[in-house]
């Protein structure tokens, strides 16, 4: 019986191999790598086409008589965007917020990732993993509305303050609240990007440092932190760019008073129906983000976002 089953398995494998030869003949096997890359290349191509279309739209000014974009190519939308003080105010708020969120997120994510990698307790590791992945099952908008319930005038936090005799506070529609929501949203992404870098540091490296007389703070500063730098760079780039383009948290927790640049783009497209101006703001945000990321890569390398043979 066992011999018959084994024979049937080999027959099945032969059939699969024959089918593979028919579907993917030998002359095409050299292109196997490109076949795996094709879906990603198609998606990138669609993104490039979309950016090209956005750039083309940004070069047409809105005709207020017909409320359609004119046919002539012009830089008027960029001039309008750059001349408005509100553009610079929103841009400064967005860049400042992205920087603060990135810094705070890294400060919180690093010890979390370090504990997750180094803990010897299987129960603690499982708990940290569940706590890390649980937010991914909840959408950003749902989380933002959850914070509305918790931080509202009659929310859980103000109820706790009243219970201990303190006056209620207005937590919502404030800049710190928006940043808090963004940090909470970005934290899992940062932890996931730092974990591979910390996992690559053998525990024996830290033990060797301590055996040579270094205290743990010195080991952390001179051994762990430099070796974990690729993870920190990758996490900082991802968190910064995601924060730079985030829309839901500033819109919901900011209540329209703490707009980020993505909110200004949304308003241009859907509130004042000026697609040309919205496209110009989108291109400006893309350029600013690209320049900042390129500067980080040039100064610090690509971190865990790099590839084999690339600069680290």
């Amino acid at each position: 019986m066992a011999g018959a089953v084994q024979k049937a398995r080999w027959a099945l494998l032969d059939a699969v191999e024959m089918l593979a030869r028919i579907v993917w003949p030998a002359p095409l096997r050299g292109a196997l790598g490109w076949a795996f890359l094709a879906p990603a290349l198609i998606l990138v191509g669609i993104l490039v086409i979309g950016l090209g279309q956005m750039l083309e739209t940004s070069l047409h000014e809105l005709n207020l008589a017909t409320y359609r974009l004119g046919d002539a190519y012009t830089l008027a939308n960029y001039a309008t965007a750059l001349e408005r003080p509100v553009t610079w105010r929103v841009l400064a708020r967005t860049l400042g917020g992205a920087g603060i969120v990135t810094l705070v997120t890294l400060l919180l994510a690093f010890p979390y990732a370090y504990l997750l990698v180094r803990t010897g307790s299987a129960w603690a590791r499982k708990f940290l993993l569940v706590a890390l992945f649980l937010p991914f099952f909840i959408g950003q908008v749902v989380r933002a509305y959850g914070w509305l319930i918790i931080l509202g005038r009659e929310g859980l936090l103000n109820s706790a303050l009243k219970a201990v005799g303190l006056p209620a506070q207005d937590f919502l529609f404030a800049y710190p609240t928006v940043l808090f929501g963004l940090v909470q949203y970005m934290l899992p992404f940062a932890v996931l990007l730092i974990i591979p870098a910390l996992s690559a540091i053998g525990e024996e490296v830290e033990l060797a440092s301590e055996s040579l007389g270094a205290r743990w703070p010195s080991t952390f500063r001179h051994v762990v932190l430099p070796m974990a730098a690729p993870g920190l760079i990758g996490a900082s780039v991802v968190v910064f760019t995601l924060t730079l383009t985030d829309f839901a948290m500033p819109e919901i927790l900011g209540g329209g008073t703490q707009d980020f640049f993505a909110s200004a783009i949304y308003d241009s497209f859907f509130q004042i129906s000026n697609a040309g101006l919205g496209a110009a703001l989108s291109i400006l945000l893309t350029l600013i983000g690209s320049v900042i990321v390129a500067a980080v890569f040039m100064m610090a390398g690509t971190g865990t976002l790099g590839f084999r043979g690339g600069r680290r």
Side-chain angles (χ1 to χ4, degrees):
M1 183 64 182
V5 172
Q6 188 68 20
K7 193 173 181 181
R9 286 177 179 170
W10 281 114
L12 179 62
L13 289 175
D14 289 340
V16 171
E17 186 178 2
M18 184 179 297
L19 180 63
R21 286 177 180 172
I22 295 172
V23 175
W24 199 261
L28 296 179
R29 288 177 188 169
L32 184 61
W34 290 106
F36 283 115
L37 281 175
L41 292 176
I42 291 172
L43 290 175
V44 172
I46 293 173
L47 175 64
V48 171
I49 292 172
L51 281 175
Q53 182 66 38
M54 191 76 75
L55 179 62
E56 202 273 340
T57 303
S58 71
L59 298 176
H60 297 283
E61 191 178 13
L62 181 67
N63 186 332
L64 294 177
T66 61
Y67 235 74
R68 293 177 178 275
L69 295 180
D71 294 329
Y73 287 96
T74 174
L75 294 175
N77 288 319
Y78 291 95
T80 301
L82 296 175
E83 287 172 355
R84 297 191 311 175
V86 67
T87 301
W88 295 102
R89 190 165 60 247
V90 172
L91 179 61
R93 183 187 299 143
T94 305
L95 290 173
I100 294 171
V101 168
T102 302
L103 180 62
V104 175
T105 302
L106 291 182
L107 289 175
L108 296 175
F110 193 89
Y112 192 105
Y114 186 83
L115 182 60
L116 181 60
V117 171
R118 287 287 184 262
T119 181
S121 168
W123 182 89
R125 184 175 292 108
K126 288 178 183 177
F127 173 78
L128 292 171
L129 282 172
V130 170
L132 176 65
F133 284 102
L134 194 60
F136 286 109
F137 297 102
I138 306 172
Q140 187 188 15
V141 174
V142 175
R143 266 189 271 177
Y145 278 111
W147 286 118
L148 280 182
I149 296 172
I150 294 172
L151 302 176
R153 192 70 181 175
E154 302 298 328
L156 294 176
L157 191 54
N158 270 323
S159 297
L161 290 177
K162 290 177 184 177
V164 296
L166 296 174
Q169 303 292 324
D170 292 323
F171 294 109
L172 292 178
F173 312 143
Y175 193 52
T177 305
V178 173
L179 299 185
F180 171 79
L182 286 167
V183 168
Q184 190 268 338
Y185 177 63
M186 301 297 170
L187 188 59
F189 295 103
V191 173
L192 286 177
L193 286 162
I194 293 173
I195 283 177
L198 288 176
S199 300
I201 305 172
E203 197 168 359
E204 64 275 8
V205 176
E206 294 179 52
L207 294 175
S209 174
E210 293 176 7
S211 69
L212 293 173
R215 295 180 181 274
W216 190 84
S218 297
T219 300
F220 178 80
R221 180 183 174 187
H222 297 291
V223 177
V224 177
L225 207 53
M227 295 182 74
L232 292 172
I233 294 168
S236 63
V237 169
V238 170
V239 171
F240 184 84
T241 52
L242 287 178
T243 304
L244 202 63
T245 56
D246 196 84
F247 172 76
M249 286 293 179
E251 191 70 14
I252 296 174
L253 295 183
T257 63
Q258 305 295 330
D259 285 348
F260 274 31
F261 215 79
S263 303
I265 294 172
Y266 176 88
D267 291 342
S268 298
F269 274 108
F270 301 106
Q271 297 295 331
I272 62 175
S273 299
N274 191 341
L277 181 60
L281 292 173
S282 302
I283 294 297
L284 287 175
L285 182 60
T286 303
L287 288 175
I288 291 169
S290 301
V291 168
I292 293 174
V293 171
V296 171
F297 283 169
M298 289 180 66
M299 290 187 294
T302 55
T304 50
L305 302 178
F307 47 87
R308 187 179 297 176
R311 182 185 171 190
R312 290 180 174 274

